[in-house]
Amino acid sequence: MNVKRIRTIGLVAVAAIVLAACGNLKNSSFGSTSSSTTTTGTKTTTTTGTADSEFYQGVIKNGRYRTSKSRGAVVSQNDNVMNLKSFESGLLDVSKKVFPTSKYAFQEGQYLSSSTVENWLGRKSSSNSEGLNPENNGKKDPNTRNPIYLQQLEEQDYMVQNGSKLSLGGVTIGLGMNSVDYYTKVEYGATYETDISTTELTAQGKKMANTVLQRLRQRSALKNVPIVLALYKQSSNDSLVGGDMIAYAVSKNGSTSISNWTSLNWKNYVFPATSESKNSGANSNDESDFSQFKSHVQNFFPNLSGVTANAHYKDKSLSKLSVNITTKFYSETEIISFTQYLATAAKRYLPSGVPVEITVKSANGDIQSFLARTAKGSSYYTHVFSDQGDD
């Protein structure tokens, strides 16, 4: 099989997470103002500031946000948008373990270009010696062919302020590994699947991570900085939730190999569970709370197409709940009343002590309202999107 075509996707998930708020960064090496500014010659670098210690400050250079040079290059078969979002948010959570938000600012990857990432994501071949995926062995059987293991590769840079200068303090590299590789035997033909076990994708991912680390260390700017390598297990294309971060390792002092990995017990589940996807690892109390919430909401407002939630767990404890509601409402008064009821019902029934987001959409996908509560909060922020230019 030939190397799959690579596409570039304009992702905004990381920017949205990093720049989720504006304001002061408390207890930070960046100071107590809303942003930090450094000037070198005629170039000015600033940080965005943040109102919550949970978020990184972002880097702005010469008045512009620094976008990634590889800009979300992935193998074209990735059809589950939940994987893209979950991968990036999970990568941020891993980075916070090594690069705390109080000491580091976030900068999207500046050292790996799109062409470099595309080559690395490709198969190794006579025309692509840098391909991390195995060469095509010419076989078409799901169990004997060489699958595409590596689906995504993401770079995140973390900056520190030394005096008046903002410099690179560390890098995180995420490797998104396939649990299912989709392929065709002939061009435009039927799609077939090669299942990849967690054991196999983890072994392949760790091997590739060492190769990536060696290549990064050859770059002068990355020769001695801490580098975090993280492995992500992608969910299948038909999954209602994204995949899971499964392991990470830290390379310090310019080391070029990794032997010690830290396993992560992070899982994503969908509420309510489907017959194809049982939530065997989810807390039954959390599922029960959501079921009560769903039942009361549907009884009060019958014109709903669906009420589901993505539950994010870390070490078997709920860390975030994202609720998605699709309505058949047409009038703004219905949406306002529904949003008000949701705020009351969510406070009563949904689990406390974790961040909760509720997105209300129309059947055609337009966002009608949004509700959110922080882990420490008790009340919900609400906003209704009207047709009169509200934003």
Side-chain angles (χ1 to χ4, degrees):
M1 184 177 66
N2 294 329
V3 176
K4 286 186 173 68
R5 180 175 58 86
I6 307 296
R7 66 180 175 181
T8 299
I9 301 176
L11 300 176
V12 296
V14 169
I17 295 170
V18 175
L19 306 179
C22 297
N24 297 337
L25 179 62
K26 299 177 181 178
N27 302 320
S28 169
S29 60
F30 294 95
S32 59
T33 58
S34 59
S35 64
S36 175
T37 303
T38 62
T39 304
T40 304
T42 59
K43 297 181 179 181
T44 300
T45 302
T46 64
T47 53
T48 58
T50 175
D52 193 320
S53 60
E54 178 185 352
F55 301 110
Y56 286 105
Q57 294 192 51
V59 175
I60 298 174
K61 190 169 184 178
N62 298 329
R64 293 180 179 272
Y65 178 73
R66 301 204 80 184
T67 58
S68 170
K69 286 191 174 181
S70 58
R71 200 63 175 169
V74 298
V75 178
S76 62
Q77 66 172 348
N78 193 339
D79 293 330
N80 188 343
V81 68
M82 299 301 296
N83 274 325
L84 302 175
K85 295 179 180 178
S86 179
F87 178 52
E88 292 194 323
S89 62
L91 209 55
L92 279 172
D93 286 344
V94 169
S95 296
K96 290 174 185 176
K97 291 178 171 292
V98 183
F99 309 119
T101 58
S102 61
K103 296 180 180 180
Y104 294 83
F106 173 89
Q107 176 178 267
E108 298 203 45
Q110 299 298 306
Y111 297 94
L112 298 180
S113 66
S114 290
S115 60
T116 295
V117 172
E118 288 172 3
N119 286 337
W120 290 7
L121 288 175
R123 286 190 182 276
K124 188 173 183 178
S125 65
S126 58
S127 60
N128 183 23
S129 61
E130 293 189 329
L132 292 171
N133 280 301
E135 62 182 355
N136 183 3
N137 62 6
K139 297 181 180 181
K140 302 295 185 179
D141 183 84
N143 298 317
T144 59
R145 61 184 289 272
N146 283 340
I148 296 290
Y149 291 105
L150 180 63
Q151 173 88 28
Q152 301 185 69
L153 192 146
E154 183 82 21
E155 172 198 351
Q156 296 177 351
D157 299 339
Y158 291 91
M159 314 299 288
V160 293
Q161 188 167 346
N162 298 312
S164 61
K165 184 180 180 181
L166 199 64
S167 59
L168 182 67
V171 173
T172 295
I173 301 292
L175 286 77
M177 310 299 296
N178 279 327
S179 60
V180 180
D181 177 37
Y182 299 90
Y183 70 102
T184 58
K185 296 182 178 181
V186 295
E187 190 173 9
Y188 306 118
T191 299
Y192 297 85
E193 302 176 5
T194 295
D195 293 325
I196 304 172
S197 69
T198 301
T199 299
E200 184 179 6
L201 70 86
T202 301
Q204 291 287 338
K206 290 180 178 180
K207 180 181 177 182
M208 292 177 183
N210 271 292
T211 300
V212 169
L213 177 61
Q214 292 167 12
R215 293 176 181 179
L216 295 177
R217 290 301 188 199
Q218 294 174 4
R219 299 170 182 247
S220 58
L222 307 179
K223 188 173 183 179
N224 295 307
V225 299
I227 297 178
V228 177
L229 285 302
L231 302 183
Y232 174 81
K233 176 185 175 181
Q234 299 214 147
S235 59
S236 60
N237 283 350
D238 59 356
S239 175
L240 298 178
V241 294
D244 310 310
M245 301 301 303
I246 57 177
Y248 76 98
V250 184
S251 168
K252 296 181 179 179
N253 304 320
S255 64
T256 57
S257 64
I258 298 172
S259 57
N260 296 319
W261 287 83
T262 300
S263 297
L264 295 170
N265 186 18
W266 294 3
K267 300 291 184 181
N268 292 315
Y269 300 99
V270 61
F271 291 163
T274 64
S275 58
E276 295 81 12
S277 178
K278 298 296 184 182
N279 291 332
S280 57
N283 187 298
S284 59
N285 291 332
D286 296 333
E287 287 194 86
S288 177
D289 289 343
F290 174 77
S291 294
Q292 291 187 65
F293 169 78
K294 178 182 178 181
S295 176
H296 281 78
V297 168
Q298 289 180 322
N299 287 337
F300 192 75
F301 283 88
N303 292 334
L304 302 180
S305 297
V307 181
T308 62
N310 293 336
H312 311 275
Y313 281 80
K314 293 181 179 179
D315 298 323
K316 298 183 179 181
S317 295
L318 185 66
S319 62
K320 183 179 180 181
L321 189 66
S322 302
V323 180
N324 301 288
I325 302 176
T326 303
T327 77
K328 297 178 182 178
F329 299 153
Y330 299 100
S331 74
E332 188 169 347
T333 53
E334 284 182 309
I335 298 170
I336 292 173
S337 296
F338 182 57
T339 302
Q340 292 171 335
Y341 180 78
L342 284 177
T344 301
K347 185 175 181 180
R348 180 178 178 183
Y349 295 108
L350 294 182
S352 60
V354 296
V356 177
E357 295 179 353
I358 303 174
T359 303
V360 180
K361 295 182 179 180
S362 66
N364 61 9
D366 295 331
I367 297 179
Q368 296 174 315
S369 67
F370 178 79
L371 302 87
R373 186 201 66 197
T374 64
K376 298 179 181 179
S378 59
S379 299
Y380 281 78
Y381 161 84
T382 66
H383 183 79
V384 174
F385 295 85
S386 73
D387 294 331
Q388 281 71 47
D390 242 328
D391 52 38

